[in-house]
Amino acid sequence: MAGGIKRYALKFISGKYHGGEFPLQPNKEIVVGRSSELDMVLVEDMVSRKHAKIVTTDSAVMIQDLGSTNGTFVNGEKVRKARLKEGDRILVGTSILKLVALEASGAGDMPIDQAAAKDKMERLAKRRARSSSPMSGRIDEVPLPDLLQLFSTSKKSGVMVVRRDPHVGKIYLRNGKIYYVSIDDDPDLDPQKAFVRMLSWEEGFFELTAPSDEQFILELDDSTEGLLMEAMRLIDEFKRIEPQCPAVKSRFGMVRPLTAALRDLNEEQLDVLQLVHNHSQVQVVLDKSILNDFETYQTLMHLIRKGYVRDLR
């Protein structure tokens, strides 16, 4: 990189320009918006005519909202002006951009071709013009917690569909608030349990589709931030015990003859023991347990250690 100056680009990781990359010229500024006269043109209703300005110096990259109608967001927070660092995610309209470092090309001070970048973005937009989803991408590029934080702050409504073979998860949003979650449209799976499982997915594809008119008897009451904090806590707890946990396809049954005393078990432990007796497979026990997955695994391992259940292999 010329003179040791680090060069950056804005990489589109979601939206109609997904796959595009717009290089930033050192000691220059670009204006982002819907107007065709601007440096970076994003043609969509949620982008203002002049939406934001990005200024690049030798030592920093700054972004400033230009009084846009729908706002500019950095890592889930609405900003007026902020300093960007490598890896930051910016939401403008329905586009999510990531600040990435450009690799050295050995081309010295050769000017960056922003015109070519604009042309590629236009081609990408035309290719996706018929897409029914304004926002889509890969969750290995933008993790679900970050994505949901962006949607919460920007008050998005719709159904976020996440495909991770062989499962399809759905997160229902109303003005940024998560009100229901399902996996494979299973009505018997607790929505909060489904949410924690989906947040543990590290690979897959997402798209934000139109709001749904489906009605659910049980809706989630907690704030998106509260749901995310609790889910991340449970995921961290599970990672701690995961090496000792039986596989979800494992099958267990009650020890016969049963010498361990049932009176030594509490109500929740008895419930899990009943599920093992009725269903055997660990995945079904997890799905039907009134406990969350972490608590169910803990209880199952207690029953194994104390001689109530055994592996059926």
Side-chain angles (χ1 to χ4, degrees):
M1 296 181 186
I5 299 173
K6 197 168 188 178
R7 291 185 174 180
Y8 296 94
L10 292 172
K11 180 181 180 181
F12 287 80
I13 57 176
S14 174
K16 67 190 291 186
Y17 302 100
H18 184 203
E21 190 170 277
F22 194 92
L24 301 177
Q25 183 75 47
N27 298 308
K28 297 282 187 179
E29 72 175 42
I30 64 169
V31 178
V32 182
R34 201 172 64 245
S35 172
S36 61
E37 302 171 353
L38 302 181
D39 305 291
M40 184 193 290
V41 181
L42 304 181
V43 184
E44 57 172 283
D45 293 340
M46 293 186 66
V47 175
S48 296
R49 185 174 177 277
K50 289 187 177 181
H51 197 103
K53 178 172 66 175
I54 298 171
V55 181
T56 307
T57 68
D58 289 347
S59 59
V61 180
M62 305 292 298
I63 188 167
Q64 179 182 345
D65 185 79
L66 297 177
S68 64
T69 302
N70 294 297
T72 301
F73 300 83
V74 176
N75 298 330
E77 293 186 9
K78 192 173 185 178
V79 300
R80 290 185 179 178
K81 189 174 184 178
R83 179 169 179 166
L84 300 175
K85 62 181 184 298
E86 187 176 345
D88 280 350
R89 296 179 180 90
I90 305 149
L91 176 65
V92 176
T94 62
S95 292
I96 301 176
L97 306 89
K98 183 178 181 180
L99 185 68
V100 298
L102 289 174
E103 295 183 1
S105 64
D109 292 320
M110 185 176 69
I112 294 172
D113 192 350
Q114 293 181 337
K118 287 178 68 175
D119 183 60
K120 181 180 179 181
M121 286 170 55
E122 290 176 6
R123 293 198 306 272
L124 288 168
K126 288 179 181 178
R127 192 182 307 165
R128 294 192 174 89
R130 297 179 182 177
S131 172
S132 60
S133 174
M135 300 190 74
S136 61
R138 299 167 54 95
I139 61 174
D140 56 335
E141 291 184 320
V142 51
L144 284 178
D146 294 358
L147 195 60
L148 289 167
Q149 189 66 49
L150 283 170
F151 289 171
S152 174
T153 311
S154 55
K155 300 188 182 300
K156 295 280 190 244
S157 294
V159 182
M160 186 168 73
V161 181
V162 184
R163 292 177 172 82
R164 174 186 179 252
D165 191 48
H167 301 294
V168 177
K170 296 178 180 177
I171 299 176
Y172 294 77
L173 296 156
R174 185 186 296 128
N175 295 322
K177 184 181 184 300
I178 299 167
Y179 67 92
Y180 195 76
V181 182
S182 69
I183 295 177
D184 299 329
D185 293 322
D186 183 355
D188 297 323
L189 182 62
D190 178 79
Q192 194 154 5
K193 187 178 291 187
F195 182 63
V196 176
R197 291 183 187 180
M198 284 185 66
L199 253 64
S200 69
W201 295 356
E202 296 179 347
E203 295 181 345
F205 300 87
F206 76 87
E207 61 174 336
L208 182 66
T209 62
S212 170
D213 57 4
E214 293 178 80
Q215 300 292 317
F216 303 105
I217 297 174
L218 176 66
E219 289 195 0
L220 297 170
D221 292 327
D222 291 345
S223 66
T224 296
E225 183 180 19
L227 288 170
L228 285 169
M229 289 179 64
E230 176 63 9
M232 298 311 294
R233 182 189 72 80
L234 290 172
I235 290 170
D236 287 342
E237 292 279 13
F238 175 70
K239 286 180 179 178
R240 180 173 55 83
I241 66 170
E242 186 176 12
Q244 290 79 46
C245 291
V248 293
K249 292 185 178 180
S250 300
R251 305 183 74 87
F252 285 81
M254 291 181 62
V255 172
R256 298 179 184 276
L258 184 62
T259 58
L262 291 176
R263 64 175 176 271
D264 292 337
L265 298 179
N266 60 35
E267 185 176 342
E268 292 175 343
Q269 291 166 340
L270 286 169
D271 285 344
V272 174
L273 181 61
Q274 182 73 53
L275 290 172
V276 171
H277 175 67
N278 291 347
H279 303 287
S280 177
Q281 191 180 60
V282 172
Q283 183 65 73
V284 181
V285 172
L286 290 167
D287 290 347
K288 293 185 175 295
S289 174
I290 61 172
L291 305 174
N292 62 50
D293 287 347
F294 171 67
E295 293 168 336
T296 302
Y297 264 123
Q298 278 193 316
T299 303
L300 179 58
M301 290 191 293
H302 173 82
L303 295 174
I304 295 169
R305 288 195 303 269
K306 296 298 183 180
Y308 292 93
V309 301
R310 64 179 183 85
D311 194 328
L312 294 180
R313 287 180 297 179

